[in-house]
Amino acid sequence: MEKLIKLEEKIGYKFKNIEILQQALTHSSYAYSENTPSYERLEFLGDAILNVIIAIYIYIKMPDKNEAFLTNIKAAYINRNFLQSVGENLQLQNFVIAKGLTNYRLDQIVEAIIGAIYIDGGMKESEKFIKKFLLKKEIEPLLDYKNFLKTIVWEKYKSSVHYILYKEEGPPHEKTFYIKVEVDGKQTIGKGMGTTKKEAEIKASIDFLKKMKLI
Amino acid sequence: MEKLIKLEEKIGYKFKNIEILQQALTHSSYAYSENTPSYERLEFLGDAILNVIIAIYIYIKMPDKNEAFLTNIKAAYINRNFLQSVGENLQLQNFVIAKGLTNYRLDQIVEAIIGAIYIDGGMKESEKFIKKFLLKKEIEPLLDYKNFLKTIVWEKYKSSVHYILYKEEGPPHEKTFYIKVEVDGKQTIGKGMGTTKKEAEIKASIDFLKKMKLI
């Protein structure tokens, strides 16, 4: 209980119902054995709240940027690694309620806390948390074009991305790889070459994104 | 202009700034040539608004359902085909502003209208639209387990799903297919067999979902 009050101070929000904060910290490993609710439903809710607050924020803040750019920035903010780092800064690992786990998914806990704040205090309060701990951090658009392509193809078309190695040239230590990228349900193909497969894949992704006018 | 007023009556919301509704109907094919904004940014915003309204609604309405079930129901409501049907019921094809297109993505227009209502009237008004035109429809959880697996794997792990045919048996007209499904970054494998590849893939998806305790 003392611990929970300490966490409230850290996040700067006082819960009317402290049990909802407790639930946001309870991993299913503990929840199942003690027959108490886990954070998973709150994570589901918090994910959607986080998504919309970020979307509204960047929509308003960046009136000249197109949808593809906004999607890219949003992906950076809801990125698992970024949220994990937010959780680490808040030292959430000290507050997780779990059984026999040490490798906590703090990104999920961050989302669950956002969900808990929403349930307890409404959209404005969860927005405050997001502004304080996520949006005040400067963030760059993801430069990982493979990840960006995967994200935007999912968001726009609910389709998957496939990379195909269609040619290899040169001796083993000096190979050149030729990769094409295809998207289910799309005729456009992106192509790229490189000295590593990864490089060729990134170039193919950029080619595809340009052809589709997404960058 | 008369057309826009007719559409306002249809959707039951009167815009303070009618230009934002016009933008929500403007396809990029027209927008580029006339140098006027297209619906794409509003679609980006509306997508996030729709997502959160649905998430909050089913979170509250289904207190006993787990995260996987909620994710499945949400996917059914934001499903492209479902949104397309909402657009068709509203006969949005008669209001789209485009050049040389006839095959309109009404699902995108529905999202753009939700974004436009949010900008013009706030969250409560967009919620009203969503309740009236989407949530009052009864919807079944998606029974398409391939699609469900793809969705939940993306939402939970930001990973892709791969189906691999690892065995084929029998003569051409009586084949049995053996499929395994893998998820990037996960050790668990789902397996299924069937007289068609699709059937085997669905069974493999169900096997995977069960092993991961997602259904």
Side-chain angles (χ1 to χ4, degrees):
Chain A
M1 196 60 182
E2 241 173 65
K3 252 189 163 181
L4 291 179
I5 290 165
K6 210 170 145 191
L7 181 56
E8 283 186 324
E9 282 167 13
K10 246 181 202 298
I11 65 179
Y13 176 74
K14 181 136 189 57
F15 281 81
K16 294 189 271 291
N17 174 12
I18 194 88
E19 277 175 25
I20 193 92
L21 175 58
Q22 191 165 359
Q23 185 183 337
L25 300 164
T26 304
H27 187 264
S28 56
S29 60
Y30 183 89
Y32 289 155
S33 70
E34 303 294 323
N35 200 23
T36 187
S38 76
Y39 67 62
E40 288 176 340
R41 276 174 48 91
L42 287 172
E43 179 204 346
F44 165 84
L45 187 64
D47 174 82
I49 308 267
L50 172 62
N51 193 58
V52 78
I53 299 286
I54 302 281
I56 292 168
Y57 176 82
I58 59 181
Y59 178 92
I60 291 168
K61 199 180 168 198
M62 302 176 179
D64 301 326
K65 300 295 185 189
N66 68 15
E67 181 209 9
F69 190 90
L70 300 183
T71 299
N72 196 358
I73 294 272
K74 178 156 76 73
Y77 274 115
I78 61 178
N79 175 272
R80 176 173 160 176
N81 296 330
F82 175 67
L83 294 179
Q84 178 79 24
S85 76
V86 169
E88 284 165 7
N89 286 343
L90 283 165
Q91 296 180 292
L92 292 182
Q93 68 276 8
N94 299 334
F95 300 95
V96 179
I97 303 161
K99 259 197 176 154
L101 269 178
T102 50
N103 214 355
Y104 305 129
R105 285 285 304 272
L106 298 186
D107 58 320
Q108 297 180 344
I109 307 267
V110 167
E111 291 185 336
I113 289 175
I114 291 167
I117 295 175
Y118 173 80
I119 290 292
D120 195 77
M123 191 71 91
K124 275 271 161 253
E125 291 297 333
S126 40
E127 187 181 343
K128 271 191 213 164
F129 176 91
I130 291 164
K131 286 207 164 149
K132 189 165 170 186
F133 294 105
L134 281 81
L135 287 170
K136 73 163 188 189
K137 300 199 181 188
E138 275 305 314
I139 205 155
E140 289 293 315
L142 288 180
L143 291 175
D144 177 351
Y145 285 100
K146 277 186 69 181
N147 199 20
F148 176 45
L149 179 61
K150 191 168 76 161
T151 304
I152 198 160
V153 158
W154 177 263
E155 300 224 338
K156 277 181 89 82
Y157 314 121
K158 299 282 181 280
S159 288
S160 296
V161 175
H162 307 280
Y163 294 94
I164 297 137
L165 179 72
Y166 67 95
K167 199 162 82 176
E168 268 181 70
E169 269 180 1
H173 61 287
E174 259 187 9
K175 266 198 173 22
T176 303
F177 299 94
Y178 295 79
I179 297 268
K180 63 177 174 178
V181 60
E182 296 178 353
V183 170
D184 292 342
K186 296 283 148 196
Q187 303 232 319
T188 304
I189 285 175
K191 288 187 175 180
M193 52 177 285
T195 55
T196 64
K197 281 185 203 169
K198 173 107 195 230
E199 185 191 348
E201 285 171 357
I202 289 172
K203 287 185 181 167
S205 303
I206 293 171
D207 184 47
F208 184 91
L209 287 162
K210 283 187 177 163
K211 281 179 180 164
M212 298 292 281
K213 297 199 165 60
L214 293 170
I215 53 174
Chain B
M1 196 60 183
E2 238 172 67
K3 253 189 162 180
L4 291 179
I5 291 165
K6 210 170 143 190
L7 181 56
E8 284 186 323
E9 282 167 12
K10 247 182 202 296
I11 65 179
Y13 175 74
K14 181 136 189 56
F15 280 81
K16 295 190 269 293
N17 174 11
I18 193 88
E19 277 175 25
I20 193 91
L21 175 59
Q22 190 164 358
Q23 185 184 336
L25 299 164
T26 304
H27 187 264
S28 56
S29 60
Y30 182 89
Y32 289 156
S33 70
E34 303 294 323
N35 200 23
T36 186
S38 76
Y39 67 61
E40 289 176 340
R41 277 174 47 91
L42 288 172
E43 180 204 345
F44 165 84
L45 188 64
D47 174 82
I49 308 268
L50 172 62
N51 193 57
V52 78
I53 299 286
I54 303 281
I56 293 168
Y57 176 82
I58 60 181
Y59 178 91
I60 291 168
K61 199 180 167 196
M62 302 175 180
D64 302 326
K65 299 294 185 189
N66 68 15
E67 181 209 10
F69 189 91
L70 300 183
T71 300
N72 196 359
I73 293 272
K74 177 156 77 73
Y77 274 114
I78 62 177
N79 176 273
R80 176 173 160 178
N81 295 329
F82 175 67
L83 294 179
Q84 178 79 24
S85 76
V86 169
E88 283 166 8
N89 286 342
L90 283 165
Q91 297 179 292
L92 292 182
Q93 67 277 8
N94 299 334
F95 300 95
V96 178
I97 303 160
K99 258 196 178 157
L101 268 179
T102 50
N103 213 356
Y104 306 127
R105 285 285 303 271
L106 298 185
D107 57 320
Q108 296 181 345
I109 308 266
V110 168
E111 291 184 337
I113 289 176
I114 291 167
I117 295 176
Y118 173 79
I119 291 292
D120 194 77
M123 192 70 90
K124 275 271 161 252
E125 290 297 334
S126 40
E127 187 182 342
K128 271 190 214 165
F129 175 90
I130 291 164
K131 287 207 163 148
K132 190 166 170 186
F133 294 106
L134 282 82
L135 287 170
K136 73 164 187 185
K137 299 199 182 191
E138 275 305 314
I139 205 155
E140 288 294 313
L142 287 180
L143 291 176
D144 177 351
Y145 285 100
K146 278 186 70 181
N147 198 20
F148 177 45
L149 179 61
K150 192 168 78 161
T151 303
I152 199 159
V153 158
W154 177 262
E155 300 224 338
K156 277 181 90 83
Y157 315 121
K158 297 282 180 282
S159 289
S160 296
V161 174
H162 307 282
Y163 294 93
I164 297 138
L165 179 70
Y166 69 95
K167 197 161 82 177
E168 266 181 74
E169 269 180 0
H173 61 288
E174 258 187 11
K175 265 196 176 19
T176 304
F177 299 94
Y178 295 79
I179 297 269
K180 62 178 176 179
V181 59
E182 296 178 354
V183 170
D184 291 343
K186 296 283 147 194
Q187 303 231 320
T188 304
I189 285 176
K191 286 188 176 179
M193 53 177 284
T195 55
T196 65
K197 281 185 201 168
K198 174 105 194 229
E199 185 192 348
E201 286 171 357
I202 289 173
K203 287 185 181 168
S205 303
I206 293 172
D207 183 48
F208 183 91
L209 288 162
K210 284 187 177 164
K211 282 179 178 163
M212 298 292 282
K213 296 200 168 62
L214 294 170
I215 54 174

